[in-house]
Amino acid sequence: MNGPSRPVRVLVVDDSALVRSLLTEILGSSAEITVVGAVADPYAARDAIKRLEPDVLTLDVEMPRMDGLTFLRNLMRLRPMPVVMVSSLTERGAQVTLDALELGAVDFVSKPKIDLKRGLEASGQDLVDRVLQASRARVARLDDRRPARIRTYRTTDSILAIGASTGGTEAIRQVLEAFPPDAPPTVVTQHIPGSFSTPFVERLDRSAAIRVKHAEDGEPALKGHAYFPPGEHHLRLVRSGARYLCRLDAGPPVNRHRPSVDVLFHSVAEAAGLNARAALLTGMGADGAEGLLAIRGAGGHTIAQDEESSVVWGMPGAAVARGAAIDVRPLHQIAAALLQADGASSTHNGVPNHGYA
């Protein structure tokens, strides 16, 4: 418990830079609170807790690499402390709220679903009051409670990612034409000369049930859409709160390619983690193999096209050799495998569970 003269030390944990900034400003406006840090995910939070010794955490549910409830469970077992959940999912009566409280969270605050900035500012005093009250709570270690039966929350929509090169224009066409109109947001990198990119994307848009288009920098990735980079640009996926956004850049070639599949896949691993489902299709070389391995390491479901159906088994073959592919499929099965794959793969390689993260 804090003495009367010492402000409550708060650590903000939220993957949205905007929310981190808003919460820091709102909480810091109180003379009774000092925001000692603001971090983007549970791994950074683990290190910040050790270094900064906060009195209270504000914690989001929707975060990359590890969701907030998994982190909360580990935290309450190993270093129990007052936690206030701040999420668009933590509404009164919602199952996620009940689960968070059962795991040991002291209180919850709902993020507004529209006009986030104005909504958070309007409820600022309520947030301050809840954090101050939480700082005085007596928090028990989770092992001292009855065992919490908490489901895993996949709190953001799945993302599909596809990469290809030699032979890939026809392979991608077959995959996208098999998608239903409400398929998850899909991001695609195909090695293709810039001058051919527009007619290729336009042709796919005419033949597929989903909308196929060139990505615009900063636009949200929506269901029923597939996004390609415009000529001579890398395409990346980023998270902003619970949304995925497309980002473009004309940076240096990677693996001698711009766009590069590795650039796309590494960004998908970071942004989507467990929610990612990726396929590496026919192509020469090894671009995309390391990125597919990163997606598998982040808990996503990874697929490589098999040798028999590939025009060139370079890229998918390199992925298989690295152990990056959970699944190896002929081309005609890949669309169904992407749509049916469980993003919370049991093979969670590459993301060690050290301490409470």
Side-chain angles (χ1 to χ4, degrees), residues 13-17 20 39-41 60 62-64 239-242:
V13 187
D14 196 294
D15 74 318
S16 166
R20 292 198 302 274
V39 297
D41 65 45
D60 190 16
E62 301 179 286
M63 290 181 292
R239 277 277 301 274
S240 176

Side-chain angles (χ1 to χ4, degrees), residues 53-74:
E53 298 186 344
D55 302 311
V56 179
L57 250 63
T58 70
L59 182 62
D60 190 16
V61 174
E62 301 179 286
M63 290 181 292
R65 300 204 292 171
M66 179 183 292
D67 69 87
L69 292 189
T70 300
F71 177 68
L72 180 64
R73 181 194 297 113
N74 294 336

Side-chain angles (χ1 to χ4, degrees), residues 21-30 120-121 123-125 127-128:
S21 175
L22 289 171
L23 293 183
T24 298
E25 181 180 350
I26 290 167
L27 295 171
S29 68
S30 169
L120 279 177
E121 289 173 344
S123 60
Q125 188 57 52
L127 175 63
V128 167

Side-chain angles (χ1 to χ4, degrees), residues 282-347:
T282 175
M284 188 177 298
D287 186 37
E290 289 297 327
L292 197 72
L293 184 61
I295 291 172
R296 179 171 185 174
H301 192 90
T302 54
I303 303 164
Q305 186 176 349
D306 72 358
E307 185 171 10
E308 185 175 351
S309 67
S310 295
V311 174
V312 178
W313 206 55
M315 288 160 50
V320 171
R322 286 166 171 77
I326 293 170
D327 209 357
V328 180
R329 298 273 186 145
L331 178 60
H332 72 274
Q333 294 182 5
I334 285 178
L338 282 169
L339 294 168
Q340 295 170 5
D342 182 355
S345 167
S346 59
T347 52

Side-chain angles (χ1 to χ4, degrees), residues 223-246:
K223 284 185 178 182
H225 288 65
Y227 301 89
F228 285 72
E232 302 302 324
H233 283 76
H234 294 302
L235 172 61
R236 289 181 169 87
L237 188 76
V238 299
R239 277 277 301 274
S240 176
R243 298 189 305 163
Y244 297 114
L245 305 178
C246 299

